């Protein structure tokens, strides 16, 4: 197979430090040159290592895994959608500027995506424009803002702006619902995240958003689109059988599969086959969730080893689709 540039569309960063944002904001407890803990007030949220902020370490890992380019996106805990818009806008500016610093040593290999105060559409559009002018290549958003899903009028306004300025949008689940039943086995991550993504894609479909958004919008969902690709048939059946209660989309859910992409972080060849069969080989982007432990290492191993993929499709998954998503040559 001819060599193709390999593009990892799903990685995250955390700066090694940031200004004190005030009471209740996430802060970083630095424990050594290579280890730190993200803190939420006095609670430990996530242990991280220096590969979250050290460009040299990221590049070494990329070289080891045969990755040419990374999309470097925020870690969702910093979105701050439930705070006043002005506060979230201030935090977004700080983290977005720090992301540029992290990626600066290798601007052709590490492409930063910004975050925006999505609870305030005007401020979100303004911050996106500022970031695109400063060197960001797109935007990562969470899949909801409190009880407002992606069919909310303000969020749709922001997505329309993204289409107008040509900014690719990466959608990542965050702020999963809590329950004692989800407190074991990292169940919020293993069941809550896939369900959250499924729900938000459904909101775009059944809320009629895809009928209003231009086809030029480049949209990608994390983690293989969650559980959505597995249940397209069930959703189509419900759309046909219960049109009185089943949303306001002009067409059934399967009609909109070419309106968005998903990443490949599904960890199993059988799941990847379902993803490609459902979405099409031209709508699956390589992703890893680097550098977090629930990500895929080596990056792209399932795609590279998948026996069902033709060479042309494998090239699209490894880099061609992401290049188109990012607007690269």
């Amino acid at each position: 197979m001819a060599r193709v540039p390999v593009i990892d569309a799903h990685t995250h960063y955390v700066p090694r430090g940031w200004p004190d944002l005030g009471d209740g904001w996430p802060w970083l407890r630095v424990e050594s040159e290579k280890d730190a803990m993200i803190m939420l007030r006095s609670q430990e949220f996530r242990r991280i290592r220096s590969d979250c902020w050290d460009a040299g370490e990221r590049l070494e890992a990329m070289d080891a895994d045969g990755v040419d380019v990374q999309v470097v996106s925020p870690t969702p805990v910093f979105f701050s959608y439930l705070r006043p818009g002005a506060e979230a806008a201030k935090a977004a500016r700080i983290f977005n500027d720090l992301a540029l610093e992290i990626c600066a040593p290798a601007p052709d290999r590490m492409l930063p995506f910004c975050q925006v105060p999505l609870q305030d559409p005007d401020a979100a559009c303004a911050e996106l424009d500022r970031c695109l002018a400063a060197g960001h290549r797109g935007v990562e958003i969470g899949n909801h803002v409190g009880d407002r899903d992606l069919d909310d009028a303000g969020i749709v306004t922001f997505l329309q702006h993204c289409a107008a300025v040509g900014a690719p949008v990466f959608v990542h689940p965050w702020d999963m619902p809590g329950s004692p039943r989800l407190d074991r086995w990292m169940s919020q991550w293993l069941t809550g995240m896939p369900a959250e993504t499924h729900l938000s894609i459904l909101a775009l479909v059944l809320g009629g958003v895809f009928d209003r958004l231009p086809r030029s919008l480049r949209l990608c969902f994390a983690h293989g689109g969650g559980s959505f690709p597995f249940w397209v048939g069930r959703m189509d059946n419900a759309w046909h059988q219960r049109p009185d209660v089943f949303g306001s989309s002009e067409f059934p859910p399967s009609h909109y599969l070419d309106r968005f992409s998903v990443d490949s972080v599904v960890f199993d060849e059988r799941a990847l086959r379902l993803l490609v069969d459902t979405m099409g080989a031209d709508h699956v982007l390589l992703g890893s969730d680097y550098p977090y432990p629930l990500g895929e290492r080596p990056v792209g191993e399932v795609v590279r080893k998948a026996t069902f993929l033709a060479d042309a499709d494998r090239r699209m998954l490894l880099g061609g689709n992401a290049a188109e998503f990012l607007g690269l040559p």
Side-chain angles (χ1 to χ4, degrees):
M1 185 177 66
R3 176 76 168 88
V4 298
V6 176
I7 303 174
D8 185 350
H10 180 181
T11 82
H12 297 287
Y13 78 91
V14 178
R16 193 175 184 273
W18 52 88
D20 183 4
L21 295 170
D23 183 53
W25 284 87
W27 58 283
L28 196 67
R29 189 179 73 201
V30 177
E31 298 179 345
S32 73
E33 285 298 312
K34 292 186 175 293
D35 294 279
M37 178 70 71
I38 300 174
M39 302 293 294
L40 300 180
R41 293 187 173 89
S42 61
Q43 292 187 333
E44 296 180 347
F45 173 74
R46 177 177 296 170
R47 183 169 298 281
I48 61 172
R49 291 185 54 79
S50 49
D51 47 13
C52 280
W53 63 76
D54 189 302
E57 289 191 34
R58 296 182 78 101
L59 292 168
E60 288 180 9
M62 291 167 66
D63 291 341
D65 289 0
V67 174
D68 298 294
V69 176
Q70 277 186 351
V71 174
V72 183
S73 293
T75 295
V77 71
F78 302 110
F79 285 156
S80 309
Y81 292 158
L82 302 183
R83 289 183 172 271
E87 293 183 14
K90 175 183 176 181
R93 288 192 295 270
I94 290 171
F95 282 99
N96 290 334
D97 290 347
L98 290 171
L100 291 173
E101 293 181 13
I102 290 171
C103 296
D108 294 330
R109 298 193 66 188
M110 297 191 298
L111 309 183
F113 268 34
C114 65
Q115 66 184 64
V116 296
L118 197 57
Q119 64 270 58
D120 183 334
D122 291 339
C125 293
E127 179 62 12
L128 174 64
D129 292 346
R130 185 189 78 88
C131 288
L132 293 177
H136 288 83
R137 307 301 287 269
V139 59
E140 180 189 61
I141 64 172
N143 70 303
H144 68 104
V145 176
D147 291 331
R148 299 157 55 195
D149 219 311
L150 297 185
D151 59 334
D152 174 79
I155 298 175
V156 173
T157 295
F158 175 73
L159 294 176
Q160 290 169 331
H161 182 73
C162 291
V165 300
V169 181
F170 186 66
V171 185
H172 198 289
W174 83 294
D175 192 34
M176 291 82 72
S179 163
R181 295 174 60 236
L182 297 174
D183 288 343
R184 302 183 294 171
W185 315 312
M186 295 193 73
S187 295
Q188 280 194 320
W189 279 261
L190 298 180
T191 66
M193 273 194 166
E196 279 289 324
T197 303
H198 181 164
L199 177 60
S200 293
I201 298 175
L202 199 63
L204 288 175
V205 172
L206 298 182
V209 178
F210 281 129
D211 297 323
R212 307 196 303 274
L213 286 173
R215 295 189 65 88
S216 60
L217 177 66
R218 288 171 281 158
L219 194 64
C220 181
F221 286 84
H223 310 133
S227 50
F228 181 89
F230 189 82
W231 289 113
V232 172
R234 179 178 176 85
M235 291 178 286
D236 273 6
N237 179 67
W239 189 91
H240 287 291
Q241 297 301 324
R242 291 301 307 273
D244 55 323
V245 297
F246 212 67
S248 59
S249 61
E250 184 176 353
F251 301 100
S254 61
H255 176 83
Y256 300 94
L257 292 175
D258 65 347
R259 298 295 303 274
F260 62 95
S261 297
V262 298
D263 72 19
S264 65
V265 195
V266 293
F267 304 100
D268 185 278
E269 180 174 335
R270 294 163 297 183
L272 183 65
R273 181 193 291 269
L274 171 68
L275 205 58
V276 170
D277 286 347
T278 302
M279 300 297 303
D282 57 341
H283 284 79
V284 181
L285 283 57
L286 179 67
S288 70
D289 216 351
Y290 176 91
Y292 294 130
L294 295 186
E296 183 190 38
R297 294 293 305 275
V299 175
E301 183 172 34
V302 173
V303 172
R304 288 188 172 97
K305 292 183 176 179
T307 58
F308 71 91
L309 283 174
D311 285 349
D313 291 343
R314 199 184 318 274
R315 285 192 288 270
M316 286 196 294
L317 266 67
L318 286 174
N321 294 335
E324 185 172 349
F325 173 70
L326 293 165
L328 301 178

